[in-house]
């Protein structure tokens, strides 16, 4: 029987699968819906299977999931119960569930040492040094995720209230945000009380836009956010002794470098490949050699 | 019929009443339980009545609430529905519900111009300039209350995770906080996810204790908190043109001055009286003269 390798990248909005043959060449891809194993494991399972079938079909093959060895990078993988539930029900020959960060690292830096920062709604840093993985930060919105989209958006709302209260000068950014709430600070407070991290993050594009036009408040927020990222990258550099590739991923990854310290800006490079490619590589690494040895 | 004046200071943990005679002299005091008109208006009403009766009794009088004109300083007074509900059911001859901040201002600075900052679990500033009241900040935990006990506590937890992640050096403060969570960052995150402002505030005494011993992390947090308070006090000073008394109240009011800028430290003085005394003064001011004129 032919052996196939599946890489799967599953998150809160979509699930992507890539199929590789025994040589490691990607021969088909598939996409489906949300696959958050924490909030809805059964839907996640259905979408994982759906994306995988489509990858087989795109390769011109009759889907035969039991012939595939897979590595799945899934958000929510840090909760043991969800992982056990999903693991026991996966349709593959063999499989391994890792974090979405681990497949992103593999995709971005390949097999060498190095590190990534993923700066999106949240913020997490993953480094590989002498084959050992280290995760830094990424503890969520309330007490971590400094510099993230959610925190920047929250700070933009806070800055708007400070301007409303004449504690800081009004700028175009804070004027625009207050206007969005009908210039009613109580509307800002009502919004913030129920806001999820993603809701705060909705204001972050505005911060970058206004900073590009020299807005003082926007620049202050980005300098604070960038200082937090610089500090975390310093910790990453201490771990990796400044060796290997360093990539900044996530929605804000390409936007932050102009605001970062020169020592990091100069070191950041483009990722080698995306997270899905990383998942395929890990599937081959994890299950390819083992099967050869036991064949 | 003899006219009496009642001042009432009601909050989330207790309700206090003070009774004054026509000359304005306080002749009795009473205390009862929680009187948060937002979360439980009926209990609040019961406790307002109970504290008032006790004030009559302490003065050696048979309680006769309908003979009293009262000013109530109540937390939650900014929500109109709760105020209407409670107003319509108060047992007094006449009454006025104002914010807890307004009676604190009256107590602290009397009838002159001036300002107070109330720095407790939250933070709010109230100024009186040429008889006009101004409220600054105090928009709650999520997007305001900078320098408050809740924000300091939250930042102490955040600082502990930064230290755990080797982003900042471990200090006695962050070591002590991590130890409280069994040195398990996930326990910190679990706590923070469900924590209310008061729960974060529980860590704030630790910050002041460690800062007094020179702890670097604690000092950094207090310097940040104090800088926020300095900025707000600058806004207050612009409003009041640096005139009148300036008092720092609330649980952290007496603790912050050593960390504030010299320009404010030198200007802060002790309050003339407490919030309850302020409520009595406002009751006499609001209802005393009016009755004389219409008598």
């Amino acid at each position: 029987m032919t052996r196939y390798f599946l890489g799967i990248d599953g998150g809160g909005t979509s699930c992507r699968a890539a199929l590789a043959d025994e040589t490691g060449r990607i021969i088909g891809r598939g996409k489906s819906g949300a696959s958050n194993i924490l909030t809805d494991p059964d839907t996640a399972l259905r979408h994982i299977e759906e994306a995988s079938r489509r990858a087989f079909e795109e390769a011109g093959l009759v889907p035969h999931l039991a012939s595939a060895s897979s590595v799945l990078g899934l958000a929510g993988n840090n909760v043991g119960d969800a992982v056990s539930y999903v693991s026991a029900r996966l349709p593959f020959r063999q499989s391994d569930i890792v974090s979405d960060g681990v497949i992103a690292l593999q995709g971005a830096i390949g097999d060498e040492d190095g590190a990534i920062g993923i700066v999106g709604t949240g913020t997490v840093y993953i480094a590989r040094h002498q084959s050992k993985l280290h995760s830094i930060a990424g503890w969520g919105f309330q007490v971590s995720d400094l510099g993230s989209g959610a925190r920047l958006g929250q700070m933009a709302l806070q800055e708007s209230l400070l301007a409303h209260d004449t504690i800081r000068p009004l700028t175009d950014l804070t004027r625009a945000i207050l206007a969005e709430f009908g210039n009613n600070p109580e509307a800002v407070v009502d919004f913030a009380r129920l806001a999820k991290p993603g809701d705060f993050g909705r204001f972050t594009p505005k911060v970058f836009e206004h900073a590009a036009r020299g807005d003082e408040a926007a620049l202050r927020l980005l300098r604070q956010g960038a200082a937090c990222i610089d500090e975390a990258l310093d910790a990453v550099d201490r771990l990796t002794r400044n060796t290997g590739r360093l990539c900044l991923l996530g929605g804000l990854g390409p936007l932050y470098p102009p605001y970062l310290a020169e020592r990091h800006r100069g070191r950041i490079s483009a990722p080698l490949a995306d997270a899905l490619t990383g998942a395929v590589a890990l599937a081959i690494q994890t299950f390819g050699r083992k099967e050869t040895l036991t064949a």
Side-chain angles (χ1 to χ4, degrees), chain A:
Chain A
M1 190 176 79
T2 318
R3 287 154 54 206
Y4 294 105
F5 300 96
L6 261 173
I8 289 171
D9 179 9
T13 52
S14 71
C15 180
R16 297 182 306 140
L19 184 71
D21 63 17
E22 281 179 285
T23 70
R25 193 172 51 99
I26 291 179
I27 54 175
R29 288 164 192 273
K31 197 178 166 184
S32 63
S35 53
N36 187 318
I37 62 172
L38 255 188
T39 55
D40 191 349
D42 290 313
T43 302
L45 275 163
R46 191 158 48 78
H47 285 152
I48 287 166
E49 196 169 322
E50 197 176 308
S52 304
R53 284 184 184 285
R54 286 182 185 158
F56 269 91
E57 285 161 6
E58 206 201 70
L61 297 166
V62 176
H64 184 224
L65 304 188
S67 70
S69 301
S70 81
V71 163
L72 303 94
L74 300 178
N77 88 303
N78 50 346
V79 178
D81 288 352
V83 170
S84 312
Y85 182 90
V86 169
S87 267
R89 287 161 179 80
L90 287 170
F92 309 117
R93 175 193 176 104
Q94 47 196 174
S95 49
D96 194 13
I97 296 180
V98 299
S99 82
D100 44 354
V102 165
I103 62 171
L105 178 78
Q106 181 70 36
I109 70 168
D111 295 331
E112 310 294 315
D113 280 355
I116 58 170
I118 309 179
V119 191
T121 303
T123 307
V124 67
Y125 305 84
I126 302 170
R128 191 197 289 135
H129 183 61
Q130 297 178 344
S131 304
K132 206 170 163 239
L133 290 185
H134 303 267
S135 176
I136 288 183
W139 300 108
F141 176 68
Q142 279 293 356
V143 281
S144 184
D145 286 358
L146 301 176
S148 68
R151 294 291 290 249
L152 278 179
Q154 180 199 30
M155 284 172 72
L157 295 185
Q158 178 173 296
E159 195 74 21
S160 305
L161 291 178
L162 289 170
H164 171 272
D165 282 330
T166 73
I167 294 173
R168 298 215 178 131
L170 268 170
T171 70
D172 285 346
L173 171 69
T174 49
R175 222 175 265 121
I177 290 177
L178 287 169
E180 229 181 281
F181 289 95
N183 290 306
N184 177 8
E186 284 168 24
V188 179
V189 176
D190 279 347
F191 172 86
R193 203 173 29 224
L194 299 173
K196 298 216 164 75
D199 299 326
F200 285 117
R202 195 164 64 74
F203 294 92
T204 297
K206 260 200 178 61
V207 178
F208 280 95
E209 280 157 36
H210 280 86
R213 287 184 229 132
D215 185 275
E216 259 316 308
L219 284 168
R220 183 168 49 234
L221 296 182
L222 284 190
R223 279 188 211 111
Q224 285 173 20
C228 293
I229 292 175
D230 277 328
E231 268 194 294
L233 291 179
D234 286 334
V236 165
D237 281 346
R238 285 191 295 272
L239 264 170
T240 61
R241 295 171 205 281
N242 280 293
T243 56
R245 190 173 279 264
L246 175 67
C247 305
L248 219 51
L249 313 175
L252 305 184
L255 303 180
Y256 254 124
Y259 303 97
L260 295 179
E262 178 51 37
R263 65 185 180 281
H264 297 129
R265 210 187 314 153
R267 235 171 79 55
I268 291 170
S269 61
L272 295 173
D274 67 4
L276 187 57
T277 309
V280 172
L282 285 174
I284 292 166
Q285 231 175 66
T286 309
F287 300 112
R289 181 167 294 274
K290 209 188 295 174
E291 294 211 352
T292 309
L293 287 170
T294 58

